[in-house]
Amino acid sequence: MNTTLVKAFGTEAATADLKELNINRREVTATDIEIEILYCGVCHSDLHTARNDWGGTLYPSVPGHEIVGRVTKIGSEVTKLKVGDLAGVGCLVGSCSTCDSCKNDLEQYCSNGWVGTYNGADQYIGGHTFGGYSEKIVVDEHFVLTIPTNLNLAAVAPLLCAGITTWSPLKHWNVGKGSKVAVVGLGGLGHMAIKLAKGLGAEVTLFSRTLDKVQDAKDLGADTVIISTDENQMATVSGKFDLIIDTVPTIHDINPYVAALAVSGTLVLVGYLGPLDPFLNSVPMILGRKSVAGSLIGGIAETQEMLDFCGANNIVSEIEIIKMQDINEAYERMINSDVKYRFVIDMTTL
Ligand code: NAP
Ligand code: ZN
């Protein structure tokens, strides 16, 4: 298969900075769309992958799965978009399409293994996939999203991961008018969870460690902010929430959040990946029929539903635009929770 060399930004090792490098992109097949990338959001998962926090990173690694841009080429059978249209790509660029999950629009739970936008197995040209910190990307049309044209394009980019990752549990657990929802951590995912839950009509509380985010959270739509390190404040929300979305990226004690669930409530982990420490106490779960669950991004149809909802309700991410060359500094700021509330790379600076 023919390929072209394009400019990208990535890293050769877990301990190395990201720098300019070249990658191959395939020529469009009959069902492919080629997209010139205009903006790419910076997800904490990019950082986890670049630094091999989860193990299994393939190098060179080119992160980026919050991609928006313009269609520059389409294959002969493409019907979804035409040249010149806006297009989006999130975390998924492939799945088997035949398993029960894929048939039910849950490509992210494909039982034969979905293909990540980066660090996945490239079934077209071999090797591994490279993400959105690059000039262009070629993706099968099934995995390309239509972008509402009424929204600020740069601020749409984070919807492709932070948006869908919080939308999917909100929908799965039937959040709507009157639901009591809490969000743990005010970062990229957390701020989208607040906006989307609010958009669905929920009463929303933020749990944060950071005092100086209280006003921001209220401006974003939170009705209440609880400082999670303050036991007195935590006690005021005991037994309150139908759904808590926990976005904290590192190991932490989730027992205090289980205590804040109402009877039959669910705490859904979307941030930290790994064993819990300290152990989860089952007593309050059994006595209150409470659940602790996890959730992974969202399927393609659900991502389109979320984008359309954001278009209709004027919901976008709060962003700070950076140049490609600022990415290493941005990662450091992200580790220090100093992001308000998503970095988006202006890809014309590459
Ligand atoms: P982020 O922008 O860095 O936000 C994380 C927030 O968590 C911080 O702003 C901070 O909020 C809080 N936090 C950070 N360290 C903490 C600690 N040690 N203890 C308690 N709270 C802490 O990250 P993000 O991009 O939203 O991503 C969050 C996590 O979700 C990452 O691990 C990412 O890999 C994961 N993720 C998962 C999925 C999925 O499909 N499940 C998809 C995308 C991302 P406060 O200052 O308010 O406390
Ligand atoms: Zn992400």
Side-chain angles (χ1 to χ4, degrees), residues 214-345:
V214 174
Q215 192 53 48
D216 283 359
K218 293 195 169 158
D219 294 345
L220 290 163
D223 299 287
T224 311
V225 181
I226 300 288
I227 298 301
S228 51
T229 48
D230 181 330
E231 281 179 20
N232 293 330
Q233 287 195 34
M234 289 298 282
T236 63
V237 289
S238 176
K240 176 164 179 176
F241 301 108
D242 304 311
L243 183 71
I244 301 179
I245 299 182
D246 184 334
T247 75
V248 173
T250 49
I251 193 157
H252 60 291
D253 185 4
I254 65 167
N255 290 294
Y257 302 114
V258 174
L261 288 173
V263 169
S264 306
T266 301
L267 168 67
V268 57
L269 297 167
V270 295
Y272 171 68
L273 205 61
L276 295 168
D277 184 37
F279 289 118
L280 180 58
N281 183 359
S282 70
V283 175
M285 294 171 66
I286 289 172
L287 297 186
R289 197 170 60 185
K290 299 176 180 184
S291 308
V292 173
S295 184
L296 178 67
I297 50 176
I300 297 300
E302 199 174 40
T303 306
Q304 192 62 58
E305 173 195 62
M306 177 273 312
L307 287 166
D308 296 346
F309 178 86
C310 289
N313 293 279
N314 270 306
I315 295 175
V316 286
S317 177
E318 302 299 309
I319 60 165
E320 179 178 338
I321 296 190
I322 60 168
K323 297 194 189 80
M324 189 69 257
Q325 294 72 20
D326 297 335
I327 190 69
N328 296 302
E329 191 192 323
Y331 278 6
E332 290 310 312
R333 283 184 53 194
M334 193 175 239
I335 285 172
N336 295 323
S337 300
D338 174 25
V339 192
K340 292 191 170 173
Y341 279 91
R342 199 59 143 186
F343 292 124
V344 172
I345 308 160

Side-chain angles (χ1 to χ4, degrees), residues 46-176:
D46 298 357
L47 191 165
H48 287 310
T49 302
R51 298 192 176 177
N52 201 22
D53 290 345
W54 294 325
T57 299
L58 302 164
Y59 293 96
S61 175
V62 174
H65 57 203
E66 295 183 337
I67 299 166
V68 289
R70 208 168 275 288
V71 176
T72 44
K73 214 183 270 183
I74 57 171
S76 55
E77 291 167 21
V78 169
T79 54
K80 205 184 235 179
L81 291 170
K82 54 185 192 319
V83 171
D85 285 346
L86 294 176
V89 178
C91 309
L92 282 164
V93 292
S95 73
C96 81
S97 82
T98 55
C99 73
D100 283 350
S101 294
C102 287
K103 283 192 201 145
N104 287 301
D105 293 321
L106 295 167
E107 297 91 340
Q108 75 276 32
Y109 304 118
C110 174
S111 43
N112 295 307
W114 52 281
V115 182
T117 304
Y118 54 79
N119 212 53
D122 191 321
Q123 291 142 336
Y124 295 84
I125 56 174
H128 58 278
T129 53
F130 298 114
Y133 300 1
S134 56
E135 283 177 301
K136 62 179 181 179
I137 191 164
V138 178
V139 178
D140 184 279
E141 70 168 330
H142 178 75
F143 296 92
V144 178
L145 287 310
T146 302
I147 301 295
T149 50
N150 59 315
L151 302 175
N152 173 345
L153 188 62
V156 166
L159 302 180
L160 275 308
C161 175
I164 184 57
T165 301
T166 49
W167 176 260
S168 188
L170 290 169
K171 294 299 281 187
H172 182 72
W173 277 279
N174 297 314
V175 166

Side-chain angles (χ1 to χ4, degrees), residues 44-45 48 186 188-189 208-210 213 250 270 295 297 342:
H44 208 113
S45 302
H48 287 310
L186 189 60
L189 268 55
S208 176
R209 307 159 302 165
T210 313
K213 290 184 182 172
T250 49
V270 295
S295 184
I297 50 176
R342 199 59 143 186

